[in-house]
Amino acid sequence: IRTYCSYMILLTVLLSTYILAVNYYAFRLLKKQQEDTDVGDMQAGDGDGRLLLISAMGGAIAVFLTMFFLRFRLDSMLLMIVLPLLAVVNIYCFYLGFRSIFVFW
């Protein structure tokens, strides 16, 4: 039983680190896109694929909140529909992960 608890603690720490890392990267990605758009290096629609990919990997909450915080890309209908749906899926997967459903031995 002691080994099981140590595995669970390790998996919880790894999952928490993954969630924090993906959300931080999502925040930085959107901030960089805003800076590049302001400078003129990039157009407003470029980079949607990267945003959707990082959102599917678990960063949908960070991308969605950062969009409102920076007031950037709020006119993109695709992102405004897909990101809340991905956020709900991300939250559910994180819940399952913390409830020890995704335990890989």
Side-chain angles (χ1 to χ4, degrees):
I1 224 165
R2 184 174 181 176
T3 306
Y4 178 74
C5 290
S6 62
Y7 282 131
M8 295 310 298
I9 291 170
L10 177 67
L11 289 174
T12 303
V13 168
L14 288 175
L15 184 60
S16 300
T17 305
Y18 173 78
I19 292 168
L20 290 173
V22 167
N23 282 293
Y24 176 74
Y25 179 72
F27 170 76
R28 291 298 306 154
L29 179 66
L30 192 64
K31 182 132 175 72
K32 182 168 179 2
Q33 282 188 3
Q34 181 196 26
E35 293 168 357
D36 289 346
T37 303
D38 289 343
V39 171
D41 292 342
M42 162 180 226
Q43 293 181 352
D46 294 344
D48 281 354
R50 284 185 183 168
L51 286 177
L52 291 175
L53 179 64
I54 198 68
S55 297
M57 291 174 61
I61 298 167
V63 172
F64 194 64
L65 292 178
T66 305
M67 283 173 54
F68 283 105
F69 178 70
L70 298 176
R71 297 186 193 279
F72 178 66
R73 300 296 312 272
L74 295 176
D75 56 345
S76 174
M77 188 61 69
L78 174 69
L79 293 177
M80 295 305 287
I81 291 173
V82 173
L83 287 178
L85 296 175
L86 283 174
V88 170
V89 171
N90 288 166
I91 290 171
Y92 183 67
C93 288
F94 296 154
Y95 169 75
L96 291 179
F98 281 116
R99 294 291 296 166
S100 304
I101 301 298
F102 294 136
V103 176
F104 300 110
W105 303 114

